[in-house]
Amino acid sequence: LHIFSSLQCERNKADSDGTVYDWSRPTRRHWICRTVAGDNKSCSPDESKEERSTSQFGDGETVLGGAASEVVCELYDEGLAGLTPMRIIRSPGAEIYAVLFRPSLCSKTGAKEGVSLSATVVAFCDLMDSGTVVQLQDARDVVFLPSPPGEAPRGLILKKDGLGLTFFTWNENERKCELHKTYRPILGVEDDKDYVECKRIYVSSGPSNTSLLAIATRHRDFKTVVLSGELVGLADFGPQEWSDLLPNIITGRQAWLNNFEDVFSLVGLE
């Protein structure tokens, strides 16, 4: 999946006789698209693609088909006006997606207001049914947690100010996330000169357990730290009690980065 964005203008009549036209103000629109890669040089025997010999460089190989893209749904809601999509977060085992939005670089007046690399709104999209934006939540980040077989999707929402982390479960009937208990995202943090602010959250999961990782910035010198929580079994936490997932800055594993270094992505290794 990826997001395709465009600027669109509408042509309006500027006078009564319709001889002069005027263009409306540009509007930015966003679509979730799905692309299947093509032009493979090998395929499984059961694939029924017609083989076509090439006449250019690499003659003797076969082109098995081109790429194909389709629009899944438009990311439209009045609450998304003036925002720009950043990332798509997928729910494992379900067609539920979260799209993170941040403020655009410029306001309507042209001034650089609200410029930030942190998200402020998350749009939940259910692609199982109509494929539309079904719910907006004010948030800085969101992750989906692995769920035991037969249970609804679940995850964590980091509040827009970074001060709270809320457990949520997805209600498939009402097509929305239900919020549950909230904790501070990092344990052991004191409101003093060494205070660290949570910026991003990640999940590293294995076959039967998972752990939570937090990316935070210390206000005193703006250094970035990566904090890792303990491994917790998938059946050992739920909507009302999940504090075992939280990383602890005093007793937990941590890695401080050098000055001016930051984390843009993180992948867990099993």
Side-chain angles (χ1 to χ4, degrees):
L1 292 179
H2 65 278
I3 297 176
F4 175 78
S5 302
S6 67
L7 286 174
Q8 177 177 317
C9 297
E10 295 183 357
R11 193 171 68 170
N12 303 318
K13 291 183 179 180
D15 58 357
S16 57
D17 58 4
T19 58
V20 179
Y21 291 88
D22 188 18
W23 292 95
S24 66
R25 187 169 184 167
T27 301
R28 184 171 293 276
R29 302 178 66 182
H30 311 284
W31 291 270
I32 293 182
C33 301
R34 180 183 287 112
T35 298
V36 179
D39 292 338
N40 299 314
K41 295 302 180 181
S42 61
C43 63
S44 59
D46 58 342
E47 288 181 307
S48 58
K49 293 183 178 179
E50 179 183 358
E51 296 188 355
R52 299 182 296 277
S53 298
T54 61
S55 59
Q56 303 297 326
F57 175 79
D59 191 26
E61 297 181 341
T62 56
V63 177
L64 302 174
S69 298
E70 62 176 353
V71 175
V72 178
C73 69
E74 182 178 5
L75 292 170
Y76 175 77
D77 190 277
E78 294 181 356
L80 299 177
L83 301 177
T84 300
M86 294 177 58
R87 303 190 309 276
I88 302 177
I89 311 295
R90 306 184 182 188
S91 172
E95 289 292 312
I96 308 298
Y97 297 84
V99 182
L100 296 170
F101 286 80
R102 65 166 176 82
S104 299
L105 291 179
C106 295
S107 66
K108 293 181 179 179
T109 60
K112 293 184 177 180
E113 300 173 355
V115 177
S116 174
L117 295 179
S118 296
T120 58
V121 173
V122 57
F124 287 94
C125 303
D126 186 355
L127 304 189
M128 288 293 293
D129 190 5
S130 59
T132 58
V133 176
V134 295
Q135 188 179 20
L136 298 182
Q137 287 284 345
D138 291 337
R140 175 177 290 182
D141 204 359
V142 60
V143 293
F144 286 99
L145 300 171
S147 302
E151 293 191 10
R154 56 184 182 174
L156 300 172
I157 294 178
L158 179 63
K159 290 188 175 181
K160 188 164 59 174
D161 56 9
L163 297 179
L165 197 59
T166 304
F167 194 100
F168 75 88
T169 54
W170 184 259
N171 189 318
E172 297 180 350
N173 295 327
E174 299 184 8
R175 301 177 64 205
K176 68 176 184 179
C177 63
E178 297 180 344
L179 303 181
H180 302 283
K181 201 166 185 178
T182 300
Y183 292 103
R184 297 185 69 174
I186 302 173
L187 300 179
V189 174
E190 299 295 337
D191 191 9
D192 55 15
K193 64 178 182 179
D194 290 326
Y195 175 78
V196 295
E197 179 182 348
C198 186
K199 297 290 188 179
R200 296 280 302 276
I201 50 176
Y202 294 90
V203 168
S204 178
S205 300
S208 59
N209 49 43
T210 187
S211 65
L212 181 67
L213 297 97
I215 310 298
T217 301
R218 186 164 58 191
H219 284 190
R220 173 166 54 88
D221 52 11
F222 300 103
K223 293 188 68 173
T224 298
V225 60
V226 181
L227 300 163
S228 175
E230 300 295 332
L231 288 173
V232 180
L234 298 183
D236 296 336
F237 62 90
Q240 301 304 322
E241 187 52 52
W242 54 274
S243 59
D244 291 342
L245 287 171
L246 297 173
N248 192 309
I249 196 171
I250 298 177
T251 61
R253 293 179 293 273
Q254 55 187 273
W256 288 91
L257 305 185
N258 295 327
N259 290 332
F260 308 110
E261 289 185 339
D262 203 350
V263 177
F264 289 95
S265 184
L266 191 151
V267 177
L269 300 178
E270 300 181 5

